[in-house]
Amino acid sequence: MTVDIRKVGVIGAGQMGSGIAQVCAIAGYDVALNDLSEERINAGLATISGGLQRQVSKGHLTEQDRQEAEGRIKPAPSFEALGDCDLVIEAATENEAVKRKIFVDLCPALRPDAIIGTNTSSISVTRLAAATDRPERFIGIHFMNPVPVMQLVEIIRGIATEDPTFKATQAFVARLGKTATLAEDFPAFIVNRILLPMINEAIYTLYEGVGSVESIDTAMRLGANHPMGPLQLADFIGLDTCLAIMQVLHDGLADSKYRPCPLLVKYVEAGWLGRKTRRGFYDYRGEKPTPTR
Ligand SMILES: NC(=O)c1ccc[n+]([C@@H]2O[C@H](COP(=O)([O-])OP(=O)(O)OC[C@H]3O[C@@H](n4cnc5c(N)ncnc54)[C@H](O)[C@@H]3O)[C@@H](O)[C@H]2O)c1
């Protein structure tokens, strides 16, 4: 079965889901956006609206394109509203139980030929596929944050992913104007296998008192030429997501070098999840971000 992708469903209207919906709509796809409540869907739609406006003010999009893109995105308060989608991308919280439950509930609502993609940062695509009725039409489509800005999409085939699913996904990523890279289905794939241990080590460096938040970030920006410091980046990703990825690496590869830093655990337990909760390694509630340690 080959699928001509025209309509894309997105599950999860958070940082990633709203970005994915935005780039799909700009590329001309009809989009249905789902989350746990109408309130969260509306918050996602507001983020997309702001993002599209910013693209117009930067000259990357015409006002007419903005209006057309915004008009292509519709709220989907239930999985039934995703029933006519050709591709559904799951971008909900990085928690395997949450994602598995979504797939179990989602499958009966979909057409048999619809493809399901997961935007998971780290969880086994093969294992998630096994929670669906269509492992051959299931694939990892890992966007980077912020989606409208970042060029890369990692594509991850599960053990059962068939060629037409892979080819349709490659064509979809190309139409979004992004560059795809293929990663094998190992914990955290390529980008996060390399990036997250670096961020976790930066948090250990803070935990052990080797440097302050500012000195660690300045050191890596100016000393390693990174565009942003690792703690600033952790706040940007979301500390809950960083912790979840480290846990997947630690459990999946059974190597103590992936042990999540206890300070990361403490920040997550405090609900200090980074920019999305306005406090993490920096406090974003004032005029400019101030370090919390
Ligand atoms: N943050 C990043 O930098 C980044 C980058 C690439 C991939 N990802 C992955 O993208 C996914 C989402 O991350 P995020 O940063 O957007 O998180 P987020 O916390 O901003 O958003 C997650 C959204 O999922 C929704 N959700 C939770 N359970 C749901 C359910 N059962 N049904 C529908 N919606 C549900 C939440 O209400 C929330 O709006 C995760 O798998 C994450 O690992 C994140």
Side-chain angles (χ1 to χ4, degrees), residues 126-152:
T126 299
R127 226 164 45 232
L128 291 176
T132 74
D133 59 1
R134 62 194 76 201
E136 68 287 352
R137 307 187 71 70
F138 189 93
I139 194 159
I141 312 178
H142 182 216
F143 289 86
M144 307 292 134
N145 184 18
V147 181
V149 176
M150 300 295 282
Q151 186 59 34
L152 184 75

PDB file of all heavy atoms in Angstrom, residues 126-152:
ATOM      1  N   THR A 126      10.888   0.243  17.568  1.00  0.00           N
ATOM      2  CA  THR A 126      10.388  -1.138  17.426  1.00  0.00           C
ATOM      3  C   THR A 126       9.411  -1.465  18.553  1.00  0.00           C
ATOM      4  O   THR A 126       8.353  -2.065  18.319  1.00  0.00           O
ATOM      5  CB  THR A 126      11.583  -2.115  17.449  1.00  0.00           C
ATOM      6  OG1 THR A 126      12.420  -1.800  16.339  1.00  0.00           O
ATOM      7  CG2 THR A 126      11.131  -3.563  17.383  1.00  0.00           C
ATOM      8  N   ARG A 127       9.756  -1.049  19.770  1.00  0.00           N
ATOM      9  CA  ARG A 127       8.894  -1.349  20.927  1.00  0.00           C
ATOM     10  C   ARG A 127       7.583  -0.558  20.839  1.00  0.00           C
ATOM     11  O   ARG A 127       6.510  -1.083  21.114  1.00  0.00           O
ATOM     12  CB  ARG A 127       9.636  -0.996  22.201  1.00  0.00           C
ATOM     13  CG  ARG A 127       9.526  -2.065  23.248  1.00  0.00           C
ATOM     14  CD  ARG A 127      10.525  -1.975  24.368  1.00  0.00           C
ATOM     15  NE  ARG A 127      10.736  -0.680  24.938  1.00  0.00           N
ATOM     16  CZ  ARG A 127      11.941  -0.135  25.086  1.00  0.00           C
ATOM     17  NH1 ARG A 127      13.025  -0.771  24.702  1.00  0.00           N
ATOM     18  NH2 ARG A 127      12.060   1.064  25.637  1.00  0.00           N
ATOM     19  N   LEU A 128       7.665   0.708  20.439  1.00  0.00           N
ATOM     20  CA  LEU A 128       6.442   1.519  20.298  1.00  0.00           C
ATOM     21  C   LEU A 128       5.569   0.949  19.172  1.00  0.00           C
ATOM     22  O   LEU A 128       4.343   0.877  19.299  1.00  0.00           O
ATOM     23  CB  LEU A 128       6.776   2.984  20.023  1.00  0.00           C
ATOM     24  CG  LEU A 128       7.410   3.754  21.184  1.00  0.00           C
ATOM     25  CD1 LEU A 128       7.796   5.172  20.747  1.00  0.00           C
ATOM     26  CD2 LEU A 128       6.466   3.831  22.382  1.00  0.00           C
ATOM     27  N   ALA A 129       6.210   0.503  18.086  1.00  0.00           N
ATOM     28  CA  ALA A 129       5.470  -0.059  16.950  1.00  0.00           C
ATOM     29  C   ALA A 129       4.652  -1.265  17.391  1.00  0.00           C
ATOM     30  O   ALA A 129       3.550  -1.511  16.877  1.00  0.00           O
ATOM     31  CB  ALA A 129       6.438  -0.455  15.838  1.00  0.00           C
ATOM     32  N   ALA A 130       5.196  -2.017  18.346  1.00  0.00           N
ATOM     33  CA  ALA A 130       4.526  -3.237  18.798  1.00  0.00           C
ATOM     34  C   ALA A 130       3.222  -2.928  19.547  1.00  0.00           C
ATOM     35  O   ALA A 130       2.400  -3.823  19.738  1.00  0.00           O
ATOM     36  CB  ALA A 130       5.468  -4.049  19.690  1.00  0.00           C
ATOM     37  N   ALA A 131       3.036  -1.670  19.937  1.00  0.00           N
ATOM     38  CA  ALA A 131       1.782  -1.291  20.594  1.00  0.00           C
ATOM     39  C   ALA A 131       0.702  -0.929  19.565  1.00  0.00           C
ATOM     40  O   ALA A 131      -0.434  -0.628  19.932  1.00  0.00           O
ATOM     41  CB  ALA A 131       2.015  -0.101  21.527  1.00  0.00           C
ATOM     42  N   THR A 132       1.080  -0.950  18.275  1.00  0.00           N
ATOM     43  CA  THR A 132       0.115  -0.587  17.226  1.00  0.00           C
ATOM     44  C   THR A 132      -0.354  -1.846  16.485  1.00  0.00           C
ATOM     45  O   THR A 132       0.207  -2.920  16.671  1.00  0.00           O
ATOM     46  CB  THR A 132       0.736   0.365  16.168  1.00  0.00           C
ATOM     47  OG1 THR A 132       1.628  -0.389  15.344  1.00  0.00           O
ATOM     48  CG2 THR A 132       1.487   1.510  16.815  1.00  0.00           C
ATOM     49  N   ASP A 133      -1.341  -1.655  15.608  1.00  0.00           N
ATOM     50  CA  ASP A 133      -1.805  -2.773  14.768  1.00  0.00           C
ATOM     51  C   ASP A 133      -1.090  -2.761  13.419  1.00  0.00           C
ATOM     52  O   ASP A 133      -1.504  -3.440  12.494  1.00  0.00           O
ATOM     53  CB  ASP A 133      -3.331  -2.665  14.575  1.00  0.00           C
ATOM     54  CG  ASP A 133      -3.739  -1.352  13.909  1.00  0.00           C
ATOM     55  OD1 ASP A 133      -2.840  -0.530  13.577  1.00  0.00           O
ATOM     56  OD2 ASP A 133      -4.946  -1.118  13.720  1.00  0.00           O
ATOM     57  N   ARG A 134      -0.027  -1.905  13.273  1.00  0.00           N
ATOM     58  CA  ARG A 134       0.611  -1.730  11.954  1.00  0.00           C
ATOM     59  C   ARG A 134       2.115  -1.428  12.074  1.00  0.00           C
ATOM     60  O   ARG A 134       2.571  -0.384  11.550  1.00  0.00           O
ATOM     61  CB  ARG A 134      -0.096  -0.614  11.174  1.00  0.00           C
ATOM     62  CG  ARG A 134       0.002   0.739  11.851  1.00  0.00           C
ATOM     63  CD  ARG A 134      -0.942   1.777  11.296  1.00  0.00           C
ATOM     64  NE  ARG A 134      -2.289   1.529  11.778  1.00  0.00           N
ATOM     65  CZ  ARG A 134      -3.386   1.990  11.189  1.00  0.00           C
ATOM     66  NH1 ARG A 134      -3.301   2.747  10.130  1.00  0.00           N
ATOM     67  NH2 ARG A 134      -4.575   1.716  11.689  1.00  0.00           N
ATOM     68  N   PRO A 135       2.888  -2.336  12.686  1.00  0.00           N
ATOM     69  CA  PRO A 135       4.324  -2.059  12.828  1.00  0.00           C
ATOM     70  C   PRO A 135       5.022  -1.790  11.498  1.00  0.00           C
ATOM     71  O   PRO A 135       6.002  -1.058  11.459  1.00  0.00           O
ATOM     72  CB  PRO A 135       4.878  -3.334  13.478  1.00  0.00           C
ATOM     73  CG  PRO A 135       3.708  -4.012  14.081  1.00  0.00           C
ATOM     74  CD  PRO A 135       2.495  -3.615  13.304  1.00  0.00           C
ATOM     75  N   GLU A 136       4.472  -2.345  10.411  1.00  0.00           N
ATOM     76  CA  GLU A 136       5.098  -2.131   9.096  1.00  0.00           C
ATOM     77  C   GLU A 136       4.857  -0.706   8.590  1.00  0.00           C
ATOM     78  O   GLU A 136       5.576  -0.205   7.724  1.00  0.00           O
ATOM     79  CB  GLU A 136       4.594  -3.167   8.066  1.00  0.00           C
ATOM     80  CG  GLU A 136       3.147  -3.062   7.656  1.00  0.00           C
ATOM     81  CD  GLU A 136       2.131  -3.518   8.720  1.00  0.00           C
ATOM     82  OE1 GLU A 136       2.498  -4.077   9.775  1.00  0.00           O
ATOM     83  OE2 GLU A 136       0.939  -3.288   8.478  1.00  0.00           O
ATOM     84  N   ARG A 137       3.869  -0.047   9.131  1.00  0.00           N
ATOM     85  CA  ARG A 137       3.549   1.336   8.735  1.00  0.00           C
ATOM     86  C   ARG A 137       3.844   2.306   9.878  1.00  0.00           C
ATOM     87  O   ARG A 137       3.178   3.322  10.036  1.00  0.00           O
ATOM     88  CB  ARG A 137       2.076   1.446   8.313  1.00  0.00           C
ATOM     89  CG  ARG A 137       1.714   0.413   7.261  1.00  0.00           C
ATOM     90  CD  ARG A 137       0.352   0.606   6.714  1.00  0.00           C
ATOM     91  NE  ARG A 137       0.292   1.795   5.871  1.00  0.00           N
ATOM     92  CZ  ARG A 137       0.860   1.910   4.682  1.00  0.00           C
ATOM     93  NH1 ARG A 137       1.546   0.922   4.175  1.00  0.00           N
ATOM     94  NH2 ARG A 137       0.746   3.004   4.005  1.00  0.00           N
ATOM     95  N   PHE A 138       4.827   1.984  10.682  1.00  0.00           N
ATOM     96  CA  PHE A 138       5.212   2.793  11.836  1.00  0.00           C
ATOM     97  C   PHE A 138       6.689   3.162  11.684  1.00  0.00           C
ATOM     98  O   PHE A 138       7.508   2.341  11.285  1.00  0.00           O
ATOM     99  CB  PHE A 138       5.001   1.969  13.120  1.00  0.00           C
ATOM    100  CG  PHE A 138       5.162   2.760  14.378  1.00  0.00           C
ATOM    101  CD1 PHE A 138       4.060   3.348  14.996  1.00  0.00           C
ATOM    102  CD2 PHE A 138       6.417   2.927  14.960  1.00  0.00           C
ATOM    103  CE1 PHE A 138       4.206   4.087  16.161  1.00  0.00           C
ATOM    104  CE2 PHE A 138       6.566   3.671  16.124  1.00  0.00           C
ATOM    105  CZ  PHE A 138       5.458   4.240  16.730  1.00  0.00           C
ATOM    106  N   ILE A 139       7.025   4.421  12.055  1.00  0.00           N
ATOM    107  CA  ILE A 139       8.402   4.902  11.819  1.00  0.00           C
ATOM    108  C   ILE A 139       8.737   6.041  12.789  1.00  0.00           C
ATOM    109  O   ILE A 139       7.835   6.756  13.243  1.00  0.00           O
ATOM    110  CB  ILE A 139       8.549   5.341  10.328  1.00  0.00           C
ATOM    111  CG1 ILE A 139      10.017   5.514   9.932  1.00  0.00           C
ATOM    112  CG2 ILE A 139       7.711   6.584  10.019  1.00  0.00           C
ATOM    113  CD1 ILE A 139      10.265   5.441   8.433  1.00  0.00           C
ATOM    114  N   GLY A 140      10.000   6.205  13.098  1.00  0.00           N
ATOM    115  CA  GLY A 140      10.446   7.345  13.906  1.00  0.00           C
ATOM    116  C   GLY A 140      10.725   8.535  12.992  1.00  0.00           C
ATOM    117  O   GLY A 140      11.450   8.402  11.992  1.00  0.00           O
ATOM    118  N   ILE A 141      10.104   9.682  13.316  1.00  0.00           N
ATOM    119  CA  ILE A 141      10.361  10.929  12.557  1.00  0.00           C
ATOM    120  C   ILE A 141      10.750  11.955  13.610  1.00  0.00           C
ATOM    121  O   ILE A 141       9.893  12.587  14.226  1.00  0.00           O
ATOM    122  CB  ILE A 141       9.109  11.402  11.761  1.00  0.00           C
ATOM    123  CG1 ILE A 141       8.479  10.248  10.977  1.00  0.00           C
ATOM    124  CG2 ILE A 141       9.473  12.542  10.825  1.00  0.00           C
ATOM    125  CD1 ILE A 141       7.201  10.636  10.207  1.00  0.00           C
ATOM    126  N   HIS A 142      12.038  12.061  13.851  1.00  0.00           N
ATOM    127  CA  HIS A 142      12.530  12.848  14.992  1.00  0.00           C
ATOM    128  C   HIS A 142      12.956  14.251  14.554  1.00  0.00           C
ATOM    129  O   HIS A 142      14.037  14.442  13.992  1.00  0.00           O
ATOM    130  CB  HIS A 142      13.703  12.096  15.657  1.00  0.00           C
ATOM    131  CG  HIS A 142      14.243  12.779  16.860  1.00  0.00           C
ATOM    132  ND1 HIS A 142      15.578  12.787  17.191  1.00  0.00           N
ATOM    133  CD2 HIS A 142      13.611  13.487  17.838  1.00  0.00           C
ATOM    134  CE1 HIS A 142      15.753  13.475  18.297  1.00  0.00           C
ATOM    135  NE2 HIS A 142      14.584  13.915  18.708  1.00  0.00           N
ATOM    136  N   PHE A 143      12.068  15.210  14.814  1.00  0.00           N
ATOM    137  CA  PHE A 143      12.347  16.616  14.505  1.00  0.00           C
ATOM    138  C   PHE A 143      13.224  17.201  15.616  1.00  0.00           C
ATOM    139  O   PHE A 143      13.219  16.717  16.745  1.00  0.00           O
ATOM    140  CB  PHE A 143      11.036  17.414  14.445  1.00  0.00           C
ATOM    141  CG  PHE A 143      10.188  17.113  13.245  1.00  0.00           C
ATOM    142  CD1 PHE A 143       9.297  16.050  13.247  1.00  0.00           C
ATOM    143  CD2 PHE A 143      10.275  17.898  12.102  1.00  0.00           C
ATOM    144  CE1 PHE A 143       8.509  15.769  12.149  1.00  0.00           C
ATOM    145  CE2 PHE A 143       9.484  17.632  10.987  1.00  0.00           C
ATOM    146  CZ  PHE A 143       8.604  16.565  11.011  1.00  0.00           C
ATOM    147  N   MET A 144      13.899  18.309  15.294  1.00  0.00           N
ATOM    148  CA  MET A 144      14.725  19.010  16.280  1.00  0.00           C
ATOM    149  C   MET A 144      13.999  20.284  16.715  1.00  0.00           C
ATOM    150  O   MET A 144      13.145  20.792  16.002  1.00  0.00           O
ATOM    151  CB  MET A 144      16.092  19.379  15.678  1.00  0.00           C
ATOM    152  CG  MET A 144      16.827  18.201  15.061  1.00  0.00           C
ATOM    153  SD  MET A 144      17.382  16.969  16.246  1.00  0.00           S
ATOM    154  CE  MET A 144      16.853  15.456  15.431  1.00  0.00           C
ATOM    155  N   ASN A 145      14.376  20.792  17.849  1.00  0.00           N
ATOM    156  CA  ASN A 145      13.713  21.942  18.466  1.00  0.00           C
ATOM    157  C   ASN A 145      14.565  23.207  18.311  1.00  0.00           C
ATOM    158  O   ASN A 145      15.749  23.152  18.643  1.00  0.00           O
ATOM    159  CB  ASN A 145      13.540  21.611  19.968  1.00  0.00           C
ATOM    160  CG  ASN A 145      12.778  22.652  20.734  1.00  0.00           C
ATOM    161  OD1 ASN A 145      12.086  23.478  20.166  1.00  0.00           O
ATOM    162  ND2 ASN A 145      12.918  22.635  22.046  1.00  0.00           N
ATOM    163  N   PRO A 146      14.023  24.344  17.860  1.00  0.00           N
ATOM    164  CA  PRO A 146      12.666  24.587  17.392  1.00  0.00           C
ATOM    165  C   PRO A 146      12.474  24.093  15.953  1.00  0.00           C
ATOM    166  O   PRO A 146      13.318  24.361  15.087  1.00  0.00           O
ATOM    167  CB  PRO A 146      12.544  26.115  17.477  1.00  0.00           C
ATOM    168  CG  PRO A 146      13.931  26.657  17.484  1.00  0.00           C
ATOM    169  CD  PRO A 146      14.865  25.578  17.894  1.00  0.00           C
ATOM    170  N   VAL A 147      11.354  23.428  15.740  1.00  0.00           N
ATOM    171  CA  VAL A 147      11.119  22.742  14.459  1.00  0.00           C
ATOM    172  C   VAL A 147      11.204  23.699  13.256  1.00  0.00           C
ATOM    173  O   VAL A 147      11.821  23.356  12.246  1.00  0.00           O
ATOM    174  CB  VAL A 147       9.764  21.997  14.477  1.00  0.00           C
ATOM    175  CG1 VAL A 147       9.540  21.265  13.157  1.00  0.00           C
ATOM    176  CG2 VAL A 147       9.685  21.026  15.634  1.00  0.00           C
ATOM    177  N   PRO A 148      10.607  24.911  13.319  1.00  0.00           N
ATOM    178  CA  PRO A 148      10.655  25.762  12.119  1.00  0.00           C
ATOM    179  C   PRO A 148      12.073  26.199  11.759  1.00  0.00           C
ATOM    180  O   PRO A 148      12.326  26.570  10.618  1.00  0.00           O
ATOM    181  CB  PRO A 148       9.798  26.984  12.515  1.00  0.00           C
ATOM    182  CG  PRO A 148       8.930  26.489  13.633  1.00  0.00           C
ATOM    183  CD  PRO A 148       9.777  25.505  14.386  1.00  0.00           C
ATOM    184  N   VAL A 149      12.993  26.156  12.724  1.00  0.00           N
ATOM    185  CA  VAL A 149      14.349  26.666  12.493  1.00  0.00           C
ATOM    186  C   VAL A 149      15.334  25.549  12.148  1.00  0.00           C
ATOM    187  O   VAL A 149      16.196  25.714  11.290  1.00  0.00           O
ATOM    188  CB  VAL A 149      14.849  27.412  13.766  1.00  0.00           C
ATOM    189  CG1 VAL A 149      16.297  27.863  13.604  1.00  0.00           C
ATOM    190  CG2 VAL A 149      13.928  28.582  14.107  1.00  0.00           C
ATOM    191  N   MET A 150      15.196  24.390  12.809  1.00  0.00           N
ATOM    192  CA  MET A 150      16.235  23.357  12.702  1.00  0.00           C
ATOM    193  C   MET A 150      16.058  22.528  11.429  1.00  0.00           C
ATOM    194  O   MET A 150      14.954  22.117  11.088  1.00  0.00           O
ATOM    195  CB  MET A 150      16.220  22.460  13.933  1.00  0.00           C
ATOM    196  CG  MET A 150      16.487  23.229  15.216  1.00  0.00           C
ATOM    197  SD  MET A 150      18.144  23.930  15.270  1.00  0.00           S
ATOM    198  CE  MET A 150      19.064  22.476  15.687  1.00  0.00           C
ATOM    199  N   GLN A 151      17.175  22.289  10.765  1.00  0.00           N
ATOM    200  CA  GLN A 151      17.167  21.686   9.428  1.00  0.00           C
ATOM    201  C   GLN A 151      17.024  20.163   9.451  1.00  0.00           C
ATOM    202  O   GLN A 151      16.524  19.572   8.512  1.00  0.00           O
ATOM    203  CB  GLN A 151      18.490  22.099   8.746  1.00  0.00           C
ATOM    204  CG  GLN A 151      18.633  21.705   7.300  1.00  0.00           C
ATOM    205  CD  GLN A 151      17.528  22.301   6.421  1.00  0.00           C
ATOM    206  OE1 GLN A 151      17.060  23.414   6.658  1.00  0.00           O
ATOM    207  NE2 GLN A 151      17.087  21.550   5.435  1.00  0.00           N
ATOM    208  N   LEU A 152      17.455  19.544  10.553  1.00  0.00           N
ATOM    209  CA  LEU A 152      17.572  18.077  10.540  1.00  0.00           C
ATOM    210  C   LEU A 152      16.301  17.373  10.998  1.00  0.00           C
ATOM    211  O   LEU A 152      15.623  17.828  11.922  1.00  0.00           O
ATOM    212  CB  LEU A 152      18.717  17.641  11.473  1.00  0.00           C
ATOM    213  CG  LEU A 152      18.980  16.126  11.455  1.00  0.00           C
ATOM    214  CD1 LEU A 152      19.703  15.717  10.179  1.00  0.00           C
ATOM    215  CD2 LEU A 152      19.760  15.678  12.675  1.00  0.00           C
TER     216      LEU A 152
END
